[in-house]
Amino acid sequence: MAEQQGRRVIPFPGLKDRLVERGLDMLQNQENVEAISLLEQALEIDENDVAAGTSLAVAYYENNQWSESADLCRRMLQEGSGEYDELVELYVMNLIQLRRFDEISSFIQPLLEENEIQPEKAARLKSLIDLGKQQKEIKESEDESFHSFQLQKDLEQQMIQAAALAKQNIRPVKDDIITEIEKDETHPFVKTLLLNILREQGIADETVVCKWNKEISVSPSELMEPFDQELYQKAAALLSNESDQPQLAEIAAELLQKHAFLLYPFSWRIDSAEIISKAYLKLASEYMGEEEAFTGFDHKELLEEIRRLEKVEMV
């Protein structure tokens, strides 16, 4: 048994080439995760395969795995394998995405000092250094100008502000954002927007959220996405299976989603997806003109909660 375990597994003839070919097809179809899996298998069979290595580095880059792509490019350049110019450019593009701008010059400058480098290649390397410098200046400018945050008074403007934050590195102003979340007067919808941005950018700072006469201290980075919460998922699934009244179910699902976002990071006070889905079907019926939709509905606490959520003014 020990002897069998020590034997090297011999792959089927041509397996590596088929994995590379299939991986390239996946990469061209922008199925990056599948491409990575296939190309990693090919590289395990032959770690020196140039096509597998280069294609995997590209797949990593396309899948936003810039560290993995940069490491692979660096290794191949050190080993002298692969298309040199292509790997250099891909390596620099990874450094830009990683915002490691200083490394670009320190990597390229020694290459420029080689006496035998071709003029056109030298020009391209210099342009990559310039690109790195430009990106560094942009980042520094952003960091200098983005040093404070305060919500405007108009709700519509607040939502625009929150949308803009989602596209920036919020770490310079994370304390200001937390302050806005913790204010009683901040709109519950805006609180959710800001809290979700903290979550998406991995901010772990303690944040006290007060909503709907509830208070909780959370670490945003540890929160679920608003619509990944189990109770919402179950209620939404029940509504999606409501085949008898599809139009009514669609309206109910939209209302359920809106309220889930307003409640976040809290959920409904009643822990029953069946009762919640029925309540939103009744609310949808009310929207469609049925005045007595909630007649006989016994869950007064949930009804009061829904009414309170419906009274929230939106833009």
Side-chain angles (χ1 to χ4, degrees), residues 53-109:
T54 304
S55 301
L56 181 57
V58 173
Y60 281 146
Y61 180 84
E62 294 295 333
N63 202 47
N64 298 341
Q65 293 177 239
W66 300 306
S67 292
E68 291 88 343
S69 181
D71 290 343
L72 185 52
C73 288
R74 189 189 305 110
R75 178 174 72 79
M76 293 183 70
L77 285 166
Q78 289 172 346
E79 294 173 354
S81 62
E83 181 61 38
Y84 181 85
D85 292 347
E86 181 180 356
L87 286 170
V88 167
E89 186 160 347
L90 182 57
Y91 181 58
V92 170
M93 296 308 295
N94 280 296
L95 293 179
I96 288 174
Q97 294 291 348
L98 294 166
R99 297 197 165 200
R100 287 154 48 181
F101 302 113
D102 291 334
E103 291 183 35
I104 296 173
S105 294
S106 61
F107 166 68
I108 292 179
Q109 197 60 46

Side-chain angles (χ1 to χ4, degrees), residues 16 63 68 89 95 101 118 153 189 196 242 292 298 307:
K16 180 196 68 176
N63 202 47
E68 291 88 343
E89 186 160 347
L95 293 179
F101 302 113
Q118 298 175 354
K153 292 184 179 180
F189 190 85
N196 199 40
E242 183 65 40
E292 304 298 324
D298 297 329
R307 294 296 190 209

Side-chain angles (χ1 to χ4, degrees), residues 48-314:
N48 297 316
D49 187 280
V50 172
T54 304
S55 301
L56 181 57
V58 173
Y60 281 146
Y61 180 84
E62 294 295 333
N63 202 47
N64 298 341
Q65 293 177 239
W66 300 306
S67 292
E68 291 88 343
S69 181
D71 290 343
L72 185 52
C73 288
R74 189 189 305 110
R75 178 174 72 79
M76 293 183 70
L77 285 166
Q78 289 172 346
E79 294 173 354
S81 62
E83 181 61 38
Y84 181 85
D85 292 347
E86 181 180 356
L87 286 170
V88 167
E89 186 160 347
L90 182 57
Y91 181 58
V92 170
M93 296 308 295
N94 280 296
L95 293 179
I96 288 174
Q97 294 291 348
L98 294 166
R99 297 197 165 200
R100 287 154 48 181
F101 302 113
D102 291 334
E103 291 183 35
I104 296 173
S105 294
S106 61
F107 166 68
I108 292 179
Q109 197 60 46
L111 302 179
L112 291 172
E113 293 171 359
E114 295 178 7
N115 296 327
E116 297 180 0
I117 195 167
Q118 298 175 354
E120 52 275 18
K121 184 183 290 186
R124 179 58 185 156
L125 291 174
K126 288 177 181 177
S127 69
L128 290 175
I129 290 179
D130 292 339
L131 178 60
K133 288 179 178 178
Q134 290 171 9
Q135 294 299 317
K136 182 179 181 180
E137 289 172 0
I138 291 172
K139 177 184 179 294
E140 290 173 347
S141 176
E142 287 177 351
D143 290 346
E144 288 175 3
S145 61
F146 192 52
H147 61 280
S148 65
F149 176 81
Q150 185 175 9
L151 284 172
Q152 299 184 26
K153 292 184 179 180
D154 181 76
L155 179 57
E156 184 175 3
Q157 289 297 320
Q158 289 179 4
M159 292 185 179
I160 293 172
Q161 283 182 280
L165 282 177
K167 302 175 183 178
Q168 302 184 58
N169 172 20
I170 63 167
R171 278 172 170 72
V173 294
K174 63 181 177 63
D175 292 339
D176 292 341
I177 294 172
I178 291 171
T179 296
E180 295 294 343
I181 291 172
E182 293 182 341
K183 288 180 180 177
D184 291 338
E185 61 268 25
T186 300
H187 193 282
F189 190 85
V190 175
K191 284 189 179 187
T192 298
L193 288 174
L194 296 177
L195 189 60
N196 199 40
I197 291 168
L198 293 179
R199 180 193 64 78
E200 288 176 342
Q201 297 204 21
I203 303 301
D205 299 46
E206 180 182 356
T207 305
V208 178
V209 185
C210 296
K211 280 185 178 183
W212 318 115
N213 298 320
K214 300 178 184 178
E215 180 177 310
I216 189 173
S217 178
V218 300
S219 172
S221 63
E222 297 177 2
L223 291 172
M224 290 184 177
E225 291 187 24
F227 303 125
D228 280 352
Q229 297 183 97
E230 185 178 4
L231 188 57
Y232 168 78
Q233 288 278 333
K234 287 182 177 179
L238 289 170
L239 291 175
S240 68
N241 293 328
E242 183 65 40
S243 56
D244 294 339
Q245 306 175 85
Q247 184 180 7
L248 192 71
E250 184 178 350
I251 296 172
E254 291 177 358
L255 292 167
L256 178 81
Q257 186 179 59
K258 184 181 81 170
H259 288 184
F261 201 78
L262 284 168
L263 284 167
Y264 184 79
F266 302 104
S267 191
W268 291 269
R269 291 180 183 272
I270 189 168
D271 188 23
S272 170
E274 291 79 7
I275 294 172
I276 290 170
S277 62
K278 288 178 182 178
Y280 279 89
L281 285 170
K282 290 181 179 294
L283 182 62
S285 297
E286 193 173 77
Y287 265 71
M288 296 181 72
E290 186 180 337
E291 295 181 0
E292 304 298 324
F294 280 96
T295 299
F297 186 72
D298 297 329
H299 304 280
K300 292 184 179 180
E301 186 178 20
L302 177 59
L303 178 57
E304 289 174 0
E305 188 171 35
I306 289 174
R307 294 296 190 209
R308 186 165 64 250
L309 291 165
E310 274 302 282
K311 289 179 181 178
V312 175
E313 293 185 6
M314 304 296 291

